[in-house]
Amino acid sequence: MTGFTAFLLEQGVEAALPISLNDTITMLQETVPTFSHNGHGYLLAAVSRGQLGSRWELAVKVTDPANNQPISDQPVGFVHAAKTDPFTTEFLIPPRTPEGGIDLTHFDGEGEYFGAFIFQMINALTERQLMELSGAMPRFA
């Protein structure tokens, strides 16, 4: 794991996206299934703490490439999206901590898969011009 990956896992990512909450959720549904790392894919699963129409809390799970099903009940991390106003969404990838509901001893104990997810998410937001960076994040396969 790179130092920057560790930094992102410890600090998280927060951005104001210039799109509605519905558009954010649609973008996540379209984009996340295209992410991969070490031959595995990703999916987002709703967490019951969300509030339909104003806030979504989503669990990031790693999938088996053979059947696109989660390889573990445990998420590797979370994504939160909250409506700021009709045209802006607060997008948050919270820090990855045991207090945040992550079992750090299971499948992704070192954060390798969640780190790869974060880099791919940042690149997807940048490519869609929803976030501005001076350069692209490293690519994962």
Side-chain angles (χ1 to χ4, degrees), residues 128-140:
R128 291 175 179 250
Q129 299 179 340
L130 300 173
M131 178 184 266
E132 229 177 274
L133 292 177
S134 57
M137 301 296 282
R139 300 279 178 191
F140 290 87

Side-chain angles (χ1 to χ4, degrees), residues 84-137:
T84 304
D85 63 44
F87 307 105
T88 310
T89 301
E90 177 187 332
F91 181 78
L92 174 68
I93 300 174
R96 189 172 184 263
T97 64
E99 298 81 25
I102 302 294
D103 176 4
L104 298 179
T105 63
H106 84 291
F107 169 73
D108 192 31
E110 297 297 316
E112 175 185 349
Y113 284 86
F114 193 52
F117 171 86
I118 293 171
F119 279 39
Q120 291 174 80
M121 179 56 64
I122 291 171
N123 281 334
L125 294 172
T126 303
E127 289 165 5
R128 291 175 179 250
Q129 299 179 340
L130 300 173
M131 178 184 266
E132 229 177 274
L133 292 177
S134 57
M137 301 296 282

